[in-house]
Structure formats: structure tokens, C-alpha cells
Amino acid sequence: MEHEIVSASQTTGAVVAALLIFLGCYALIISEKVHRTIVALFGSALLIMVGVWIGFYDQHQAVTAIDFNTIGLLIGMMIIVEISKGSGLFQYIAIKAAKIAKGDPAKILLLFSLITALLSAFLDNVTTILLLIPITIVVCDNLRISPKPFILAEVFMSNIGGTATLIGDPPNILIGSQAGLSFMDFIKNLSPVIIIITILLLPLFYFIFKNKIVTKEEYKKTILSLNEKQSITDKKMLIKSISVIVLVILGFFFHRLMHLEAATIAIFGAAIMLFFDYKKIEDHLSHIEWVTIFFFVGLFVLVGGLVQVGVLSWAAEKIISLTAGNLATTSAFILWGSAILSAFVDNIPFVATMIPLIKAMQPVFTDLNPLWWSLALGACLGGNGTIIGASANLVATGIAEKSNNKITFKEFFKYGFGIMILTIIISNIYLWLRYW
Amino acid sequence: MKVKDCMNQQVFTIKIEQTLAEAINLMVKNKTNSLIVVDNSNQPIGIVSSCILIQAIIPEPMRDNESVSQFSSEGVLGKYVKDAANKIVLDIMSKDFHCLSPDDAMMEAATYMAKDGRRILPVVDQDKKLVGAVTRTHIKDFFYQALNNN
């Protein structure tokens, strides 16, 4: 369902007030001096107050600006993953993969990278990292090798894999919901390029890291002695979790045919999971990332205010004049601009701001889809550029540091920025070939 | 019964600049599971207990994913202990504690001890200087007396 955005031109005072509040919030979020959720909530409340006093924005418009489809999808998936992860399923997969690789570090690197990409496509990137990095560290401990190459490869693949589907990364959820794009739209348009990127990157990881992951035969044998079945702490919950996850993913594939939004599918699945583990309902609901949810709520209100004063329509016109109204050029501009910016700043506020801006280009470009795919590819793949480019990067390197395997900004940049540029080049070629 | 009737007057202390290794040595040598961190004027500023030592040694990702530990390699715990040996007390101590005074009632001591993770409460004089400590064992002994005496 497309989220209605109404743009209106406003007085200079209104524009200045809205811009000051928005940019001030943005700067604080980037600086990380104040928690981003506090900034978003404070900024949104302030914007409504000033909007009411000056006459450009009110609470009703602010509530209308909140995309509850995105909120519902996020909450639903958070509940499903929270309850599933306790079953030990993901550890089982990791240990099994390590045994299939017969303890060979290079094969484990490739298998773990692939598993990360696949999981990230259907779970959020941060959860995938939280689930896989600890077991990765333990496997590397057994092999007596540094886990850093594995952590780096998994982080890169979590951002790449998450780009493939509607639910893989929050920017895609935002874009899909507000641009009216379905789960299958993402599969048809983004999965092909992500598969191509994955196929090209796996051998690259091998060549980059092969000399850093050498171990002795005796250590490989310790991997074969691990029993992956010991990971399963609750077999009944495991079966229930897999069933619900499969049901939900099938629901996503066919949600457009059923005339249902993705949030409805996700909340339905979440309700089933809560029913399966109803005794711990309060515990599960308390583990929803409310900090992230409230950040999104505040962000939607902030961007809604900016739309109201017409700033984003003005910015859209400027971009179109810069690119001479050429769709291919505009698409490349958005792809590269999003990628470079996303490498250094939080991509969620950036994408939330770009969505109404791209919508404002509708009068010039009848088909906005190439621009949506450019935004999704740029914002998601750009996250690999630096350690601060994505939440998954920070989580992974945080875990690494707490396990005495610190990855520095420079170390990450050495590999990440090059990989990011490569994936954006591949994406640009794909977009050109596919849409023009 | 008041705190002063139960408390230990011999309390084992440690300074913030000392290390985790020194904390372990002190605990083992003095057969205690808790140390009170004091400043230069002998005022309590933190607690180091055996629980806190375990949390400081076992990496956080492992603590957050307990079941992963079953796949750990041989000797990894010894490695983690050595990795953590030079951590300083300031970085590992708990600041979540409550100071009692000698004339406080045991009810107050027991109530503050009820919070998860607490095992010792410093007892301070009017100048906030350490004069003793109440441990969970004192509380347990009080309960025993309450059950078995009138």
C-alpha cells in the first residue's frame, strides 16, 4: 500500500523552522553524541509544536506520516526471530556446515559467507550477525586461527544478502512499504544482482583471506568431533519455529496475490509464535527492539514535516535539473550518492528522506522503479564501505572486540570500501542492462 | 538485632588500580568471595565478587550465547583467564551497592541484599569510612536464628 505523502509549499518561516529542526536532528544523529531515538522523538515532538504554532504541521498530519506497515513488519519479524533463536537452529546450521567442510578453513569461510547471505535475506542483518559471529569465533578457536577474516566476510555478506528481499534490510522495508513494492518485486529485481555479486565475491574472499586462515590437520579433526545436535535446546520449539518461518516467507511471496500487506503476514506469524510460547509472552515482548521502533516513529514524523513544507519537492527538482531529466543518469546519481553517503551515515534516515524526494520526481519520470532499485542497492550495499556504515558492522566488530579480536576502522575500510565500490559497479551495470 | 551485631569487622579490600589477577589472588589467599574497592580515604567505591570476576573473564558474546560454549576448544578457559588477568579493578568492579551504617536494622540489610547479584554490603561510619561488611552468610545466619529461636 502506498503511503500518501502530501506536499505543500509553505512560508519561508515554515521552511526555515522545519529545515533547522530536521538538519539539527540529523547532525546530532550522525555525531552520536545523543542516542538517535531520543533525537528522533524530541525532534518530532518539537517539529509538531512549531508546526502548530506557525501553521504548517499538526499532530494529525504527523500520525498520518507514520508508516505503520513498516512498524508492523519490523515488530512482527522481531518477535518471530526472538522466539526462534532460542531453539539453537542457527548454531546447528553453522556447526553442520563446518563439518560438511571437513574443518577446512577456506571451505568454512565460503559456507559461512553463503549462510550469512541467505539468512540475512530473510532475517534482519543484525540478528544474523548476533547469531552467527559467536559460533564463528568458537569454530575458529577450535581451528586455532583468527576469526577476523570470517567476521569481515560475514559482515559484508550480511549487508549484501539483506539487499535481496523486502525484509532483508530496514531500508528495503521502508522503500517497499512507501513505494508500494511487493516481496516478489524485490525478488525479481534485486535478487538477480545480489546472486551475481555473491558468486563473484566468494572467490574474492578466498583469494584475499586464504593465507590468513591456515591451520593444521589435527585442528581440522576437532571440528569433526563436534556434535551439532547438541545445539538444539528445544526440539519442539525448533519444529514450530521452522514451520512459522516457512509459513511467513511463503506468505511474503504471495502477499500481493492475497491482497495483504507484509506487516499483516509478519504480525500473523508473530502471534502464532507467541501462542506457541505463551508462558513467556512478557519476556518475548520485552525483547522487541522498542528503541529501534520508536526511532522509526520519530523519523517518520520528522520526514513528514519536511514533506509538508515542500523542501523535498524542491530537492527533487534540483536533482532532476542536475541530471537533465535523464532517468539513467538520475538512477546512477541516486545509486552512487546513496552508496557513498550510506558508508558514512545511518542509512535509515537517509532512505526515509529520499523516498518522498523520489516520489516528487513522478511528474518527470512515469516509471520510478529503477530509482527505487537504485536507492535500495546504494543504501544497503553502501553499508559495507566503513565500520560505521551499517548497524551489523558495529555489532560484529563490537562482538569481535569483546572476544579480544579487535577490528579497527582502518582494517575494515581496507577491505570494505573496495568491496563496496565493486558491488556498486556491478549494480550500476546491472541497472543499465536491465532497465535501459 | 542491628547490623553492628552481625557484621564482619575484618573486611578485605582492594584498590581501583590493582588488577583482576591480584583480585583473584587476594580472594583465594583470604578465602573470600568478595572484595570491597576503597579509595585512598578508605571509603567504599565498588565491589568485586567472584561473580564479577567470572563475568570479566568470560567474553560477553559467549555469555549472551551460553550454549555456544559447549563447542569451545580445549584450554580456551585458561586462555580467557590469562587474557583478562591485567584488567584493572576500576574497569570490572560493580558500583551497584548500598552502604549500611552499624545501627541499621537487619531488615534493611536483607532487603538491599535481595537484589540480584549482591553478596556483600559495606558498613560505613559517619564519615563514610569502611568499618565492616554484611554478607549473604550473615543474612542466612539471621534467618536460621529467627527460625530456631523465639
Side-chain angles (χ1 to χ4, degrees):
Chain A
M1 176 175 76
E2 273 205 44
H3 193 71
E4 284 296 318
I5 303 287
V6 176
S7 175
S9 58
Q10 296 283 352
T11 62
T12 309
V15 172
V16 168
L19 261 179
L20 272 174
I21 293 171
F22 182 85
L23 290 173
C25 290
Y26 214 104
L28 269 175
I29 289 171
I30 293 170
S31 73
E32 294 185 345
K33 289 201 185 317
V34 181
H35 194 286
R36 64 182 193 169
T37 301
I38 297 174
V39 175
L41 287 177
F42 182 81
S44 58
L46 184 65
L47 189 60
I48 295 171
M49 282 193 253
V50 170
V52 166
W53 294 330
I54 298 182
F56 67 86
Y57 200 42
D58 61 27
Q59 185 173 293
H60 175 76
Q61 288 167 319
V63 171
T64 308
I66 299 171
D67 182 2
F68 286 100
N69 186 42
T70 296
I71 301 290
L73 181 52
L74 285 168
I75 289 176
M77 291 309 294
M78 281 174 187
I79 293 172
I80 292 170
V81 171
E82 160 64 22
I83 300 175
S84 308
K85 70 185 186 189
S87 64
L89 169 65
F90 305 103
Q91 278 175 32
Y92 177 93
I93 293 170
I95 297 289
K96 188 77 182 171
K99 286 174 76 171
I100 288 170
K102 295 195 183 353
D104 183 286
K107 288 180 189 164
I108 292 175
L109 177 71
L110 298 181
L111 276 174
F112 277 21
S113 299
L114 204 53
I115 289 168
T116 308
L118 272 166
L119 284 176
S120 290
F122 296 101
L123 311 175
D124 77 279
N125 299 351
V126 170
T127 303
T128 305
I129 289 298
L130 283 170
L131 291 168
L132 289 178
I133 299 290
I135 190 69
T136 300
I137 291 173
V138 165
V139 164
C140 290
D141 247 355
N142 276 281
L143 292 170
R144 306 288 198 272
I145 55 178
S146 169
K148 284 193 202 179
F150 295 81
I151 293 172
L152 284 167
E154 286 171 30
V155 160
F156 297 144
M157 291 314 295
S158 80
N159 288 318
I160 289 167
T163 313
T165 70
L166 169 71
I167 55 171
D169 213 353
N172 286 7
I173 297 176
L174 279 168
I175 294 167
S177 178
Q178 298 195 28
L181 297 165
S182 70
F183 188 85
M184 282 309 293
D185 288 330
F186 276 81
I187 294 284
K188 284 179 201 167
N189 289 279
L190 291 187
S191 293
V193 66
I194 296 304
I195 291 170
I196 293 167
I197 288 172
T198 303
I199 291 168
L200 290 172
L201 276 187
L202 289 181
L204 185 62
F205 287 155
Y206 172 74
F207 283 114
I208 293 173
F209 296 126
K210 65 179 178 175
N211 294 329
K212 299 181 196 299
I213 53 174
V214 178
T215 190
K216 294 181 184 169
E217 282 307 311
E218 63 186 279
Y219 298 138
K220 290 182 191 176
K221 288 183 181 137
T222 61
I223 299 296
L224 296 173
S225 67
L226 300 175
N227 184 359
E228 66 277 10
K229 289 179 186 159
Q230 285 175 326
S231 303
I232 307 302
T233 50
D234 187 338
K235 197 169 178 185
K236 281 186 187 162
M237 183 50 75
L238 173 70
I239 293 168
K240 289 171 186 172
S241 301
I242 292 174
S243 307
V244 170
I245 289 171
V246 167
L247 187 71
V248 164
I249 290 172
L250 279 173
F252 285 142
F253 270 101
F254 298 111
H255 78 100
R256 204 31 82 74
L257 285 175
M258 294 190 283
H259 304 289
L260 294 173
E261 290 303 320
T264 308
I265 306 287
I267 295 288
F268 183 72
I272 296 174
M273 288 299 287
L274 285 169
F275 173 71
F276 285 152
D277 206 17
Y278 65 90
K279 287 183 184 165
K280 290 193 213 162
I281 181 172
E282 285 186 21
D283 187 46
H284 291 314
L285 290 180
S286 74
H287 281 113
I288 292 171
E289 289 171 42
W290 294 110
V291 169
T292 302
I293 298 298
F294 279 108
F295 170 64
F296 272 92
V297 168
L299 188 62
F300 285 135
V301 172
L302 278 170
V303 173
L306 215 57
V307 168
Q308 280 301 111
V309 296
V311 164
L312 295 176
S313 306
W314 174 86
E317 283 166 26
K318 289 292 165 211
I319 292 175
I320 288 168
S321 68
L322 204 67
T323 58
N326 181 285
L327 185 58
T329 313
T330 308
S331 174
F333 182 83
I334 290 172
L335 175 71
W336 284 93
S338 304
I340 302 295
L341 275 169
S342 294
F344 295 96
V345 301
D346 191 335
N347 59 7
I348 292 168
F350 171 72
V351 167
T353 315
M354 283 299 290
I355 289 171
L357 191 150
I358 290 176
K359 279 190 174 179
M361 295 181 180
Q362 186 90 65
V364 178
F365 305 124
T366 47
D367 180 16
L368 291 179
N369 282 346
L371 302 181
W372 296 128
W373 307 131
S374 300
L375 179 63
L377 285 164
C380 295
L381 297 175
N384 277 331
T386 73
I387 221 172
I388 56 171
S391 304
N393 306 357
L394 292 166
V395 168
T397 51
I399 295 173
E401 184 168 358
K402 286 172 187 164
S403 313
N404 303 318
N405 293 292
K406 187 177 164 101
I407 296 171
T408 62
F409 184 98
K410 218 167 142 186
E411 244 175 313
F412 191 101
F413 187 84
K414 188 170 102 177
Y415 299 107
F417 201 77
I419 283 171
M420 187 270 282
I421 296 291
L422 177 64
T423 58
I424 296 298
I425 290 172
I426 296 170
S427 300
N428 208 155
I429 294 170
Y430 169 80
L431 287 167
W432 274 338
L433 291 174
R434 177 99 190 237
Y435 300 106
W436 291 287
Chain B
M1 190 176 279
K2 304 256 187 219
V3 163
K4 62 188 175 191
D5 301 317
C6 298
M7 70 183 195
N8 270 346
Q9 288 184 2
Q10 186 190 31
V11 186
F12 302 106
T13 63
I14 193 165
K15 293 280 175 68
I16 52 170
E17 62 272 11
Q18 287 181 272
T19 64
L20 181 144
E22 286 176 279
I24 292 174
N25 290 338
L26 276 169
M27 284 189 195
V28 169
K29 190 176 132 192
N30 296 299
K31 294 187 171 56
T32 181
N33 279 318
S34 303
L35 300 170
I36 296 183
V37 186
V38 293
D39 60 15
N40 292 333
S41 34
N42 207 37
Q43 292 183 344
I45 53 173
I47 306 284
V48 176
S49 66
S50 46
C51 285
I52 286 170
L53 290 178
I54 294 170
Q55 285 169 2
I57 288 167
I58 303 295
E60 194 179 314
M62 206 67 94
R63 284 186 271 126
D64 292 341
N65 296 273
E66 296 157 336
S67 57
V68 165
S69 60
Q70 65 189 309
F71 301 112
S72 293
S73 58
E74 193 68 42
V76 74
L77 184 56
K79 175 179 166 293
Y80 286 148
V81 175
K82 289 186 178 132
D83 286 343
N86 291 323
K87 286 186 180 180
I88 59 168
V89 164
L90 176 65
D91 294 336
I92 63 172
M93 71 184 190
S94 169
K95 294 177 192 171
D96 178 30
F97 64 95
H98 174 76
C99 285
L100 298 165
S101 65
D103 288 320
D104 285 340
M106 285 304 286
M107 177 64 192
E108 184 174 340
T111 305
Y112 277 100
M113 197 73 79
K115 193 172 170 189
D116 275 342
R118 284 191 181 148
R119 54 182 309 125
I120 189 167
L121 298 172
V123 182
V124 297
D125 62 16
Q126 292 148 292
D127 298 318
K128 306 286 182 210
K129 291 186 198 295
L130 188 67
V131 294
V134 172
T135 67
R136 294 186 307 186
T137 305
H138 294 126
I139 306 292
K140 185 182 67 183
D141 289 344
F142 181 89
F143 292 160
Y144 177 80
Q145 287 184 35
L147 283 173
N148 293 290
N149 299 336
N150 287 327

